Amino acid sequence: MPHTARRLLTSTLLVAAVGAGLAAAPAAANAATTVPATVRVNSTLKVRATPSLSGRIAGSVRDAQRIGVLCVTTGTNVRGSIRTSNLWAKIGTGRYISFAYVSAARSVGRCATTTPQAIPVRTKPGTSTAPKYITGKIRSTDGPVNVRTTPNTSGKVVLKLNSGRNALLVCAVTGQNVAGTVRTTGQWDKTSTGLYLSHGFVISATLPVCAGSTRPSTSPALTTDQFIKAAVPGAQQGWREYGVPPSVTIAQAILESGWGRSTLSGTHKNYFGIKCQNGRYGTLANGCQTYKTQECTKAGKCYDTTGVFRTYSSMANSFRDHGNFLKVNNRYQPAFAYTKNANKFIWNVWKAGYATDPNYYGKITGIMAKNKLYQYDTWK
């Protein structure tokens, strides 16, 4: 059965020291000559009317955009994706961007000035005015993590961060609850670029709460033992009602939901990817939800699409509906001659076309053996 692709986010946020030779000595630059350069930012970068973070916004530039830099001038110190610098690139009359995000083809001269430039001092001497960030590390066993415009899965995906990458985080907000690789939580982390990623996929120090928000609730992801213990009652009830061996049901749930850490299972308690049919969701589910997903042909070619999946009020109802799904589909009837033989049951389910993975039977029986799931088959 196709899996829901919960893909939760992004790109790399690396911080490097200021390199030598990026800006020329403080001689006046020829304003008629521009230096080719490229913007390196995670999404978009605001263009300011003055070389200051408090300057009026005069537009924006995007990541990888090619620009021409007239000259550089001093301004607010900024910690960017390339370097930490108090230089600002002038890209037009009354248009400046922080040089901390600019990769120039060659040295850039200083802007000519008739009077000394100064930035108003709002802090005590020696106190840094640079924003303070907390570095978080992405941890995901389900592919890249989505970085969105809002703290929920309906927000537009701007970036995707692979597992192991770093992200610069500012504060935490309360958003949609997500079951991630690290934990199940309603916390979303605001990044240095004003975007959001679920804290369910982040390892970091404790973040301060963003202004106007409250401390989100968080619970660690279930351990393997905790997941199995929670799964047993629903799996055994499914066998009593429909005849699917509990060990098979639990093993399939483990494989298809990633131990309950998929968004579909964590948020909507659907552990098997069972879909709604023309808006109908049967008697055990409580609704339908559309997800982006990936499906594969028998030839092994996979493609992105969307699917409408059933939602449940409890894990037990999802497990019972799994039994009902197999029971009412005629293609799986040969399996029900083996309701007290877990291995033969799942072999016949697989042979009937339940999954295109040629190793599916071996994966399921391997999970059953490794986790001693046969002990939960109630006829024993």
Side-chain angles (χ1 to χ4, degrees):
M1 184 176 298
H3 292 252
T4 301
R6 116 191 178 246
R7 312 283 176 209
L8 293 221
L9 323 136
T10 52
S11 184
T12 311
L13 301 174
L14 299 177
V15 179
V18 178
L22 292 175
N30 182 355
T33 303
T34 61
V35 176
T38 304
V39 176
R40 299 298 184 193
V41 68
N42 288 316
S43 54
T44 58
L45 180 65
K46 293 181 176 63
V47 177
R48 303 281 182 174
T50 58
S52 170
L53 291 175
S54 61
R56 178 178 57 83
I57 298 173
S60 65
V61 291
R62 64 182 182 278
D63 181 47
Q65 181 173 333
R66 299 287 294 174
I67 60 172
V69 178
L70 296 170
C71 55
V72 293
T73 187
T74 56
T76 304
N77 196 56
V78 174
R79 185 181 186 184
S81 58
I82 298 178
R83 62 185 70 86
T84 298
S85 176
N86 66 346
L87 296 179
W88 285 66
K90 184 177 182 179
I91 60 175
T93 303
R95 290 172 60 81
Y96 298 87
I97 59 174
S98 171
F99 199 62
Y101 298 94
V102 176
S103 175
R106 59 179 185 272
S107 296
V108 183
R110 294 295 184 104
C111 299
T113 57
T114 55
T115 58
Q117 293 181 322
I119 300 298
V121 177
R122 299 177 182 273
T123 58
K124 295 180 180 180
T127 302
S128 173
T129 59
K132 293 183 178 179
Y133 302 121
I134 293 176
T135 300
K137 184 176 288 294
I138 303 300
R139 183 183 175 193
S140 173
T141 58
D142 201 27
V145 177
N146 295 322
V147 181
R148 301 177 181 271
T149 54
T150 55
N152 50 63
T153 56
S154 60
K156 180 181 178 181
V157 177
V158 178
L159 300 169
K160 289 179 179 290
L161 291 178
N162 292 324
S163 186
R165 309 308 296 193
N166 289 341
L168 296 181
L169 310 175
V170 178
C171 55
V173 301
T174 300
Q176 179 181 342
N177 198 59
V178 172
T181 299
V182 180
R183 62 184 67 82
T184 297
T185 180
Q187 176 175 328
W188 286 67
D189 299 339
K190 187 174 183 180
T191 70
S192 60
T193 55
L195 300 173
Y196 299 89
L197 64 138
S198 171
H199 195 59
F201 301 95
V202 178
I203 298 175
S204 72
T206 302
L207 294 176
V209 178
C210 297
S213 187
T214 57
R215 172 62 63 186
S217 61
T218 297
S219 59
L222 292 178
T223 65
T224 55
D225 288 343
Q226 289 171 334
F227 182 89
I228 292 171
K229 183 177 180 180
V232 168
Q236 292 182 335
Q237 180 63 27
W239 181 79
R240 288 190 289 270
E241 291 181 296
Y242 305 106
V244 179
S247 58
V248 170
T249 301
I250 298 170
Q252 286 189 285
I254 290 170
L255 180 62
E256 298 186 29
S257 73
W259 291 94
R261 292 171 182 170
S262 68
T263 299
L264 183 61
S265 60
T267 305
H268 290 110
K269 297 181 174 61
N270 185 334
Y271 293 84
F272 305 93
I274 300 178
K275 293 183 178 180
C276 290
Q277 302 297 327
N278 299 319
R280 297 191 299 272
Y281 48 84
T283 58
L284 294 171
N286 61 6
C288 302
Q289 181 68 38
T290 301
Y291 277 88
K292 291 182 180 179
T293 185
Q294 187 180 79
E295 296 188 359
C296 301
T297 65
K298 290 183 178 180
K301 184 178 181 180
C302 299
Y303 57 93
D304 293 329
T305 183
T306 58
V308 182
F309 296 86
R310 297 184 184 185
T311 63
Y312 300 90
S313 61
S314 67
M315 175 188 277
N317 280 349
S318 176
F319 280 34
R320 293 170 60 206
D321 206 20
H322 167 259
N324 178 65
F325 173 83
L326 295 177
K327 187 70 174 179
V328 301
N329 281 273
N330 290 332
R331 66 193 298 184
Y332 303 120
Q333 284 311 300
F336 286 88
Y338 304 99
T339 58
K340 292 187 178 181
N341 188 321
N343 283 13
K344 288 186 177 180
F345 185 94
I346 188 59
W347 170 264
N348 281 273
V349 167
W350 172 65
K351 292 294 287 184
Y354 184 90
T356 57
D357 183 353
N359 300 314
Y360 189 80
Y361 171 77
K363 290 179 179 178
I364 293 297
T365 54
I367 291 172
M368 290 192 291
K370 180 179 180 180
N371 296 281
K372 302 178 181 178
L373 300 183
Y374 297 108
Q375 65 180 305
Y376 303 113
D377 293 335
T378 53
W379 63 87
K380 295 183 178 179

